[in-house]
Amino acid sequence: MSTTGSPPTVADVVAALDRRYPPAWAEEWDRVGLVLGEPANPVRRVACAVDVVPETVEEALAAGADMIVAHHPLLLRGVSSVAATTYKGRIVHRLIKADVALYVAHTNADVADPGVSDALAARFGLTGLRPLHPPRPGSPADGPGRGIGRIGELPAPLTLAELTRHAAAVLPVTAWGVRAAGDPGRMVRTLAVSGGSGDSFLAEATAAGVDAFLTADLRHHPAGEHLAAGGPALLDAAHWATERPWLDDLAARLRDELGVETVVSDLDTDPWTVHAAAPRPDDKEPRP
């Protein structure tokens, strides 16, 4: 950041984010870092969002943001065109015309300490945190405390049913809500959490000996086979809701380090918009 009182530039913000979430920590398939924007342009206000979609872009522009920092990549797979006749091309054109930069921190923010899952763990007051899926030894992301997901102790034991209701109360509200798999009366003391899609870490949750694992995008067959093999109970929340808490930490870091103003998007970008739960035939209480 400049010491002359002038605002930081796009390059300054990129440098700060690259120090905190080095691009080398990202998975090989991921696409992170500066997507578009003039490095010399000043940045007075940064918008933080999970997804780069037309709604979050318009929200950022209305707030007067000079830069968007997003979690999910806009251009994850190779493209041969960003023509304005395509969905993503229209987003790119809108940002360029508005002179708004775009930066992405994805799996490099997942693995960081603190990172995406630390913010999720904080919603549950978990203590004694350790990674659920540490980086491969010798990899760029290898280091104390780093890794995908977090394991910790709840402040007080809860039944799975109680924990499910608690999760719905402490996570951002979505139509999806929170569903659980396992014995509703099972006591949960140790909880693993992983922001975003986490069913590839079911084996790690079992090996860690936790009582329950909360993540998103759990699938029917992997979840059923996991439980049949004696794995921990499962809680499945909306993808967006498990990653939204990190935006607050990101915004605070940008304000503290660079002195920029920040706005955090609370627009629910989860694709599911309607949820209905039928009551149990023998129970007047709604399902947790």
Side-chain angles (χ1 to χ4, degrees), residues 192-259:
V193 299
S194 184
S197 303
D199 66 4
S200 60
F201 306 119
L202 292 175
E204 281 90 339
T206 299
V210 298
D211 299 313
F213 176 35
L214 181 146
T215 187
D217 301 338
L218 291 175
R219 295 172 294 159
H220 176 89
H221 292 296
E225 292 168 9
H226 162 87
L227 292 172
L234 300 174
L235 294 95
D236 186 29
H239 193 122
W240 173 83
T242 63
E243 295 176 328
R244 162 60 184 83
W246 171 70
L247 300 183
D248 294 324
D249 292 355
L250 170 67
R253 179 168 293 276
L254 291 171
R255 289 194 303 269
D256 293 344
E257 185 171 347
L258 297 172

Coordinates of all heavy atoms in Angstrom, one line a residue, residues 192-259:
A192 N -16.4 -32.4 12.5 CA -15.6 -32.0 11.4 C -16.5 -31.2 10.5 O -17.6 -31.5 10.3 CB -15.1 -33.3 10.6
V193 N -15.9 -30.1 9.9 CA -16.6 -29.3 9.0 C -15.7 -29.0 7.8 O -14.5 -29.0 7.9 CB -17.0 -27.9 9.6 CG1 -17.9 -28.1 10.8 CG2 -15.7 -27.1 10.0
S194 N -16.3 -28.9 6.6 CA -15.6 -28.5 5.4 C -16.5 -27.7 4.5 O -17.5 -28.1 4.1 CB -15.1 -29.8 4.7 OG -14.4 -29.5 3.5
G195 N -16.0 -26.5 4.2 CA -16.8 -25.6 3.4 C -16.9 -26.1 2.0 O -15.8 -26.5 1.4
G196 N -18.0 -26.0 1.4 CA -18.2 -26.5 0.0 C -18.4 -28.0 -0.1 O -18.7 -28.6 0.9
S197 N -18.2 -28.5 -1.3 CA -18.4 -29.9 -1.5 C -17.4 -30.8 -0.8 O -16.2 -30.6 -0.9 CB -18.3 -30.2 -3.0 OG -19.2 -29.5 -3.8
G198 N -17.9 -31.7 0.1 CA -17.0 -32.4 0.9 C -17.2 -33.9 1.0 O -16.5 -34.6 1.8
D199 N -17.9 -34.5 0.0 CA -18.1 -36.0 0.2 C -16.8 -36.8 -0.2 O -16.7 -38.0 0.0 CB -19.3 -36.5 -0.5 CG -19.3 -36.4 -2.0 OD1 -18.3 -35.9 -2.6 OD2 -20.4 -36.7 -2.6
S200 N -15.8 -36.1 -0.8 CA -14.6 -36.8 -1.1 C -13.7 -36.9 0.2 O -12.7 -37.6 0.2 CB -13.8 -36.0 -2.1 OG -13.5 -34.7 -1.7
F201 N -14.2 -36.3 1.3 CA -13.5 -36.4 2.6 C -14.2 -37.3 3.6 O -13.9 -37.2 4.8 CB -13.2 -35.0 3.2 CG -12.6 -34.1 2.2 CD1 -13.2 -32.9 1.8 CD2 -11.3 -34.4 1.6 CE1 -12.6 -32.1 0.9 CE2 -10.7 -33.5 0.7 CZ -11.4 -32.4 0.3
L202 N -15.1 -38.1 3.2 CA -15.8 -39.0 4.1 C -14.9 -39.9 4.8 O -15.0 -40.2 6.0 CB -16.9 -39.7 3.4 CG -18.1 -38.9 2.8 CD1 -19.1 -39.8 2.0 CD2 -18.9 -38.2 4.0
A203 N -13.9 -40.5 4.1 CA -13.0 -41.4 4.6 C -12.1 -40.8 5.7 O -11.9 -41.4 6.8 CB -12.1 -42.0 3.6
E204 N -11.7 -39.5 5.5 CA -10.9 -38.8 6.5 C -11.8 -38.5 7.7 O -11.2 -38.6 8.8 CB -10.4 -37.5 5.9 CG -9.2 -37.6 5.0 CD -9.7 -37.8 3.5 OE1 -10.8 -38.2 3.3 OE2 -8.8 -37.5 2.6
A205 N -13.0 -38.2 7.6 CA -13.9 -38.0 8.7 C -14.0 -39.3 9.6 O -14.0 -39.2 10.8 CB -15.3 -37.5 8.3
T206 N -14.1 -40.4 8.9 CA -14.2 -41.7 9.6 C -12.9 -42.0 10.3 O -12.9 -42.4 11.5 CB -14.6 -42.8 8.6 OG1 -15.8 -42.6 8.0 CG2 -14.6 -44.2 9.3
A207 N -11.8 -41.8 9.6 CA -10.5 -42.1 10.2 C -10.2 -41.2 11.4 O -9.5 -41.6 12.3 CB -9.4 -41.9 9.1
A208 N -10.7 -40.0 11.4 CA -10.5 -39.0 12.5 C -11.3 -39.4 13.7 O -11.0 -38.9 14.8 CB -10.8 -37.6 12.0
G209 N -12.3 -40.2 13.5 CA -13.1 -40.7 14.7 C -14.0 -39.6 15.2 O -14.4 -39.7 16.4
V210 N -14.4 -38.7 14.4 CA -15.4 -37.6 14.8 C -16.8 -38.2 14.9 O -17.1 -39.3 14.4 CB -15.4 -36.4 13.8 CG1 -14.0 -35.8 13.8 CG2 -15.8 -36.9 12.4
D211 N -17.6 -37.5 15.7 CA -19.0 -38.0 15.8 C -19.9 -37.5 14.7 O -20.9 -38.2 14.4 CB -19.6 -37.4 17.2 CG -18.8 -37.9 18.4 OD1 -18.5 -39.1 18.5 OD2 -18.5 -37.0 19.2
A212 N -19.5 -36.4 14.0 CA -20.4 -35.9 12.9 C -19.5 -35.1 12.0 O -18.5 -34.6 12.4 CB -21.5 -35.1 13.4
F213 N -19.9 -35.0 10.7 CA -19.2 -34.3 9.7 C -20.3 -33.4 9.0 O -21.2 -33.9 8.4 CB -18.6 -35.3 8.7 CG -17.9 -34.6 7.5 CD1 -17.2 -33.4 7.6 CD2 -17.9 -35.3 6.3 CE1 -16.6 -32.9 6.5 CE2 -17.2 -34.8 5.2 CZ -16.6 -33.5 5.3
L214 N -20.0 -32.1 9.0 CA -20.9 -31.1 8.3 C -20.2 -30.6 7.1 O -19.0 -30.1 7.1 CB -21.3 -30.0 9.2 CG -22.2 -28.9 8.6 CD1 -23.2 -28.4 9.7 CD2 -21.5 -27.8 8.0
T215 N -20.8 -30.7 5.9 CA -20.3 -30.1 4.7 C -21.5 -29.8 3.7 O -22.6 -29.6 4.2 CB -19.3 -31.1 4.1 OG1 -18.6 -30.6 2.9 CG2 -19.9 -32.5 3.7
A216 N -21.2 -29.8 2.4 CA -22.3 -29.6 1.4 C -22.2 -30.5 0.3 O -21.2 -31.2 0.1 CB -22.1 -28.1 0.9
D217 N -23.2 -30.6 -0.5 CA -23.3 -31.4 -1.7 C -23.1 -32.9 -1.5 O -22.5 -33.6 -2.4 CB -22.2 -30.9 -2.7 CG -22.4 -29.4 -3.1 OD1 -23.5 -28.9 -2.9 OD2 -21.4 -28.8 -3.5
L218 N -23.6 -33.4 -0.4 CA -23.5 -34.9 -0.2 C -24.4 -35.6 -1.1 O -25.5 -35.2 -1.3 CB -23.8 -35.2 1.3 CG -22.7 -34.7 2.3 CD1 -23.2 -35.0 3.7 CD2 -21.4 -35.4 2.0
R219 N -23.9 -36.7 -1.6 CA -24.7 -37.5 -2.6 C -25.2 -38.8 -1.9 O -24.7 -39.3 -0.9 CB -23.8 -37.9 -3.8 CG -23.3 -36.7 -4.6 CD -22.3 -37.1 -5.6 NE -21.1 -37.6 -5.0 CZ -20.2 -38.4 -5.6 NH1 -20.4 -38.8 -6.8 NH2 -19.1 -38.7 -5.0
H220 N -26.3 -39.3 -2.5 CA -27.1 -40.4 -2.0 C -26.2 -41.7 -1.7 O -26.1 -42.1 -0.6 CB -28.2 -40.8 -3.0 CG -29.0 -42.0 -2.6 ND1 -30.1 -41.9 -1.8 CD2 -28.9 -43.3 -2.9 CE1 -30.6 -43.1 -1.6 NE2 -29.9 -44.0 -2.2
H221 N -25.6 -42.2 -2.7 CA -24.8 -43.5 -2.6 C -23.6 -43.3 -1.7 O -23.4 -44.1 -0.8 CB -24.5 -44.0 -3.9 CG -25.7 -44.5 -4.7 ND1 -26.5 -45.5 -4.3 CD2 -26.2 -44.0 -5.9 CE1 -27.5 -45.7 -5.1 NE2 -27.3 -44.8 -6.1
P222 N -22.7 -42.3 -1.9 CA -21.6 -42.2 -1.0 C -22.0 -42.0 0.5 O -21.4 -42.6 1.4 CB -20.8 -41.0 -1.5 CG -21.2 -40.9 -2.9 CD -22.6 -41.4 -3.0
A223 N -23.1 -41.2 0.7 CA -23.5 -41.0 2.1 C -24.1 -42.3 2.7 O -23.8 -42.6 3.8 CB -24.6 -39.9 2.1
G224 N -24.9 -43.0 1.9 CA -25.5 -44.2 2.4 C -24.4 -45.3 2.7 O -24.5 -46.0 3.8
E225 N -23.4 -45.4 1.9 CA -22.4 -46.4 2.1 C -21.5 -46.0 3.2 O -21.0 -46.9 4.0 CB -21.6 -46.6 0.8 CG -22.4 -47.2 -0.3 CD -21.7 -47.1 -1.7 OE1 -20.5 -46.7 -1.7 OE2 -22.3 -47.4 -2.7
H226 N -21.3 -44.7 3.4 CA -20.5 -44.2 4.5 C -21.1 -44.6 5.8 O -20.5 -45.1 6.8 CB -20.3 -42.7 4.4 CG -20.0 -42.0 5.6 ND1 -18.6 -41.8 6.0 CD2 -20.7 -41.4 6.6 CE1 -18.6 -41.2 7.1 NE2 -19.8 -40.9 7.5
L227 N -22.4 -44.4 6.0 CA -23.2 -44.7 7.2 C -23.2 -46.2 7.4 O -23.1 -46.7 8.6 CB -24.6 -44.1 7.2 CG -24.6 -42.6 7.2 CD1 -26.1 -42.1 6.9 CD2 -24.1 -42.0 8.5
A228 N -23.4 -46.9 6.4 CA -23.5 -48.4 6.5 C -22.2 -49.0 7.0 O -22.2 -50.0 7.7 CB -23.9 -49.0 5.2
A229 N -21.1 -48.3 6.7 CA -19.8 -48.8 7.1 C -19.4 -48.3 8.6 O -18.3 -48.5 9.0 CB -18.7 -48.3 6.2
G230 N -20.4 -47.6 9.2 CA -20.1 -47.2 10.6 C -19.5 -45.8 10.7 O -18.9 -45.4 11.8
G231 N -19.5 -45.0 9.6 CA -18.9 -43.7 9.7 C -19.7 -42.7 10.5 O -20.9 -43.0 10.9
P232 N -19.2 -41.5 10.8 CA -19.9 -40.5 11.6 C -21.1 -40.0 11.0 O -21.3 -40.1 9.7 CB -18.8 -39.4 11.7 CG -17.9 -39.6 10.6 CD -17.8 -41.1 10.3
A233 N -22.0 -39.5 11.8 CA -23.2 -38.8 11.3 C -22.9 -37.7 10.3 O -21.8 -37.2 10.4 CB -24.1 -38.3 12.4
L234 N -23.8 -37.4 9.4 CA -23.6 -36.4 8.4 C -24.6 -35.3 8.5 O -25.8 -35.5 8.7 CB -23.7 -37.1 7.0 CG -22.7 -38.2 6.7 CD1 -23.0 -38.8 5.4 CD2 -21.2 -37.7 6.8
L235 N -24.1 -34.1 8.2 CA -25.0 -32.9 8.1 C -24.7 -32.3 6.8 O -23.5 -32.0 6.5 CB -24.8 -31.9 9.2 CG -25.2 -32.4 10.6 CD1 -24.0 -32.9 11.4 CD2 -25.8 -31.2 11.5
D236 N -25.7 -32.0 6.0 CA -25.6 -31.5 4.6 C -26.2 -30.1 4.5 O -27.4 -30.0 4.6 CB -26.2 -32.5 3.6 CG -26.0 -32.1 2.2 OD1 -24.9 -31.5 1.9 OD2 -26.8 -32.4 1.4
A237 N -25.4 -29.1 4.4 CA -25.9 -27.7 4.3 C -25.8 -27.2 2.9 O -25.1 -27.9 2.0 CB -25.2 -26.8 5.3
A238 N -26.3 -26.1 2.6 CA -26.2 -25.5 1.3 C -24.7 -25.1 1.0 O -24.1 -24.6 1.9 CB -27.1 -24.3 1.1
H239 N -24.3 -25.3 -0.2 CA -22.9 -25.0 -0.5 C -22.6 -23.5 -0.2 O -21.5 -23.2 0.5 CB -22.7 -25.2 -2.0 CG -21.3 -25.3 -2.5 ND1 -20.7 -26.3 -3.1 CD2 -20.3 -24.3 -2.4 CE1 -19.4 -26.1 -3.4 NE2 -19.2 -24.8 -3.0
W240 N -23.4 -22.6 -0.7 CA -23.1 -21.2 -0.4 C -23.1 -20.9 1.1 O -22.2 -20.1 1.5 CB -24.2 -20.3 -1.0 CG -24.2 -18.9 -0.7 CD1 -23.4 -17.9 -1.3 CD2 -24.9 -18.2 0.3 NE1 -23.6 -16.7 -0.8 CE2 -24.5 -16.8 0.2 CE3 -25.8 -18.6 1.2 CZ2 -25.1 -15.9 1.1 CZ3 -26.4 -17.7 2.1 CH2 -26.0 -16.3 2.0
A241 N -23.9 -21.5 1.9 CA -24.0 -21.2 3.3 C -22.7 -21.6 4.0 O -22.4 -21.0 5.0 CB -25.2 -21.9 3.9
T242 N -22.1 -22.7 3.6 CA -20.9 -23.2 4.3 C -19.6 -22.3 3.9 O -18.6 -22.4 4.6 CB -20.6 -24.6 3.9 OG1 -20.3 -24.7 2.5 CG2 -21.7 -25.5 4.3
E243 N -19.7 -21.5 2.8 CA -18.6 -20.7 2.5 C -18.8 -19.2 2.7 O -17.8 -18.4 2.8 CB -18.3 -20.9 1.0 CG -17.8 -22.4 0.7 CD -17.6 -22.7 -0.7 OE1 -18.3 -22.1 -1.6 OE2 -16.7 -23.6 -1.0
R244 N -20.0 -18.8 2.9 CA -20.3 -17.4 3.1 C -19.6 -16.8 4.4 O -19.1 -15.7 4.4 CB -21.8 -17.2 3.2 CG -22.3 -15.9 3.9 CD -21.8 -14.6 3.2 NE -22.2 -13.4 4.0 CZ -21.6 -13.0 5.0 NH1 -20.5 -13.6 5.5 NH2 -22.0 -11.9 5.6
P245 N -19.5 -17.6 5.5 CA -18.9 -17.0 6.7 C -17.4 -16.5 6.5 O -17.0 -15.6 7.1 CB -18.9 -18.2 7.7 CG -20.1 -19.0 7.3 CD -20.1 -18.9 5.8
W246 N -16.7 -17.1 5.5 CA -15.3 -16.7 5.2 C -15.3 -15.3 4.7 O -14.3 -14.6 4.9 CB -14.7 -17.7 4.2 CG -13.4 -17.2 3.7 CD1 -12.2 -17.2 4.4 CD2 -13.1 -16.8 2.4 NE1 -11.2 -16.7 3.5 CE2 -11.7 -16.5 2.3 CE3 -13.9 -16.6 1.2 CZ2 -11.1 -16.0 1.1 CZ3 -13.3 -16.2 0.1 CH2 -11.9 -15.9 0.0
L247 N -16.3 -14.8 4.1 CA -16.3 -13.5 3.5 C -16.1 -12.4 4.6 O -15.4 -11.4 4.3 CB -17.6 -13.2 2.7 CG -17.9 -14.1 1.5 CD1 -19.2 -13.6 0.9 CD2 -16.7 -14.1 0.5
D248 N -16.6 -12.6 5.8 CA -16.4 -11.7 6.9 C -14.9 -11.6 7.3 O -14.4 -10.5 7.5 CB -17.3 -12.1 8.1 CG -18.7 -11.9 7.8 OD1 -19.2 -11.0 7.0 OD2 -19.5 -12.8 8.3
D249 N -14.3 -12.7 7.3 CA -12.8 -12.7 7.7 C -12.0 -12.1 6.6 O -11.1 -11.3 6.8 CB -12.3 -14.2 7.9 CG -12.9 -14.8 9.1 OD1 -13.7 -14.1 9.8 OD2 -12.7 -16.0 9.3
L250 N -12.4 -12.4 5.3 CA -11.7 -11.8 4.2 C -11.8 -10.3 4.2 O -10.8 -9.5 4.0 CB -12.3 -12.3 2.9 CG -11.9 -11.7 1.6 CD1 -10.4 -11.9 1.3 CD2 -12.7 -12.2 0.4
A251 N -13.0 -9.8 4.4 CA -13.3 -8.3 4.4 C -12.5 -7.7 5.5 O -12.0 -6.6 5.4 CB -14.8 -8.1 4.5
A252 N -12.5 -8.3 6.7 CA -11.8 -7.7 7.9 C -10.3 -7.6 7.6 O -9.7 -6.6 7.9 CB -12.0 -8.5 9.1
R253 N -9.8 -8.6 6.9 CA -8.3 -8.6 6.6 C -8.0 -7.5 5.6 O -7.0 -6.8 5.8 CB -7.9 -9.9 6.1 CG -6.4 -10.0 5.7 CD -6.0 -11.5 5.5 NE -6.1 -12.2 6.7 CZ -5.1 -12.3 7.6 NH1 -4.0 -11.5 7.4 NH2 -5.2 -13.0 8.7
L254 N -8.8 -7.3 4.6 CA -8.6 -6.3 3.6 C -8.7 -4.9 4.2 O -7.9 -4.0 3.9 CB -9.6 -6.4 2.5 CG -9.4 -7.6 1.6 CD1 -10.6 -7.8 0.6 CD2 -8.1 -7.5 0.8
R255 N -9.6 -4.7 5.1 CA -9.8 -3.4 5.8 C -8.6 -3.1 6.7 O -8.0 -2.0 6.7 CB -11.0 -3.4 6.7 CG -12.3 -3.3 5.9 CD -13.5 -3.0 6.8 NE -13.6 -3.9 7.9 CZ -14.4 -5.0 7.9 NH1 -15.0 -5.3 6.8 NH2 -14.5 -5.7 9.0
D256 N -8.1 -4.1 7.5 CA -7.0 -3.9 8.4 C -5.7 -3.7 7.7 O -4.9 -2.9 8.2 CB -7.0 -5.1 9.4 CG -8.2 -5.2 10.3 OD1 -8.9 -4.3 10.4 OD2 -8.4 -6.3 10.9
E257 N -5.5 -4.5 6.7 CA -4.1 -4.5 6.0 C -4.0 -3.3 5.0 O -2.9 -2.7 4.9 CB -3.9 -5.8 5.4 CG -2.5 -5.9 4.8 CD -2.1 -7.3 4.3 OE1 -2.8 -8.2 4.6 OE2 -1.1 -7.4 3.6
L258 N -5.1 -3.0 4.3 CA -5.0 -2.1 3.2 C -5.8 -0.8 3.4 O -5.6 0.2 2.7 CB -5.5 -2.7 1.9 CG -4.6 -3.9 1.4 CD1 -5.3 -4.6 0.3 CD2 -3.2 -3.5 1.0
G259 N -6.6 -0.8 4.4 CA -7.4 0.4 4.7 C -8.5 0.7 3.7 O -9.0 1.8 3.6

